[in-house]
Amino acid sequence: SQTIHQWPATLVQPVGSPLSLECTVEGTSNPNLYWYRQAAGRGLQLLFYSVGIGQISSEVPQNLSASRPQDRQFILSSKKLLLSDSGFYLCAWNSGQTSTPYEQYFGPGTRLTVT
Amino acid sequence: GNSVTQMEGPVTLSEEAFLTINCTYTATGYPSLFWYVQYPGEGLQLLLKATKADDKGSNKGFEATYRKETTSFHLEKGSVQVSDSAVYFCALGTSGYSTLTFGKGTMLLVSP
């Protein structure tokens, strides 16, 4: 079966510091991968998605970036964090091979607090 | 463009009450529709889905019917439990690169 991992689970970082969040998927190959942010009391905002190694699409301009160095690894980064980057970051995956190619499976999330 | 509108919460119910959370959508083409549930501090879990008009998705006592004529996918449960307290998200997916469009979520609070 497939599983998705995210780490760290929680993170407290000062303004201006760098960021690296990691997401890995097990039990599948060539997944589509997604990064979402959920601000307090708000819905989900799609940040980036990737359909393959080295292929990144950005949905919202911001000071965040994403990379996919391996098939099942997706990394969210920032060179300098802003207070507005605080939130709950969720990674998700899906496979175009299923009968419903659009459903996504989510990781446990990373709670980021920028102080 | 695609959009999903959910009723604003929180929805506050007593245990064993009937639940309805409204969801309407706007989409091009023929979307698939989903309900996700998020328990406090956790990621989203797929609750149920429907891929074409008149399909009924169901899971754990929850149901939702894909109504193309009213562009709706309302979530219902006949008797809620305290453990159902969570945030519920309605979502749709269309052809393309398989991204989903989410509603803003509806918080459900069930008291004993």
Side-chain angles (χ1 to χ4, degrees):
Chain A
S1 64
Q2 300 87 5
T3 56
I4 178 169
H5 304 279
Q6 286 187 245
W7 63 87
T10 60
L11 191 60
V12 180
Q13 293 283 94
V15 169
S17 63
L19 173 72
S20 181
L21 303 181
E22 188 167 343
C23 169
T24 59
V25 180
E26 297 178 352
T28 187
S29 59
N30 196 31
N32 297 326
L33 296 171
Y34 306 85
W35 276 113
Y36 291 88
R37 177 169 60 201
Q38 188 177 26
R42 301 181 64 180
L44 282 80
Q45 179 184 35
L46 178 64
L47 301 175
F48 301 94
Y49 66 93
S50 172
V51 299
I53 296 175
Q55 301 178 60
I56 308 295
S57 295
S58 173
E59 288 291 297
V60 181
Q62 61 225 320
N63 70 323
L64 299 172
S65 62
S67 61
R68 186 170 177 174
Q70 300 180 41
D71 181 43
R72 290 169 289 177
Q73 184 184 33
F74 204 24
I75 296 173
L76 183 69
S77 303
S78 175
K79 293 182 179 179
K80 290 186 178 181
L81 283 169
L82 306 173
L83 285 174
S84 58
D85 292 323
S86 294
F88 193 47
Y89 288 81
L90 290 161
C91 182
W93 74 275
N94 71 358
S95 169
Q97 305 301 319
T98 63
S99 58
T100 306
Y102 316 124
E103 64 192 75
Q104 295 178 10
Y105 303 95
F106 285 79
T110 295
R111 174 75 59 190
L112 172 66
T113 303
V114 182
T115 61
Chain B
N2 298 335
S3 67
V4 175
T5 302
Q6 291 182 235
M7 60 189 294
E8 293 201 17
V11 173
T12 304
L13 295 173
S14 298
E15 204 165 26
E16 300 183 1
F18 184 86
L19 168 71
T20 299
I21 299 178
N22 291 337
C23 170
T24 57
Y25 68 89
T26 302
T28 55
Y30 302 94
S32 295
L33 300 173
F34 308 93
W35 277 101
Y36 283 84
V37 58
Q38 184 179 32
Y39 299 102
E42 298 184 7
L44 276 69
Q45 300 176 25
L46 180 64
L47 181 60
L48 53 83
K49 63 184 179 183
T51 59
K52 61 183 185 295
D54 299 325
D55 269 2
K56 176 185 283 187
S58 61
N59 186 26
K60 299 180 181 179
F62 291 90
E63 293 184 339
T65 301
Y66 189 149
R67 301 289 188 196
K68 186 178 179 183
E69 63 277 11
T70 55
T71 61
S72 64
F73 193 54
H74 304 322
L75 182 68
E76 297 181 335
K77 187 176 185 181
S79 176
V80 294
Q81 305 300 312
V82 173
S83 57
D84 293 327
S85 297
V87 180
Y88 293 81
F89 291 91
C90 185
L92 70 83
T94 59
S95 61
Y97 36 76
S98 298
T99 62
L100 295 180
T101 300
F102 285 88
K104 293 185 177 180
T106 302
M107 179 178 288
L108 171 65
L109 300 172
V110 181
S111 57

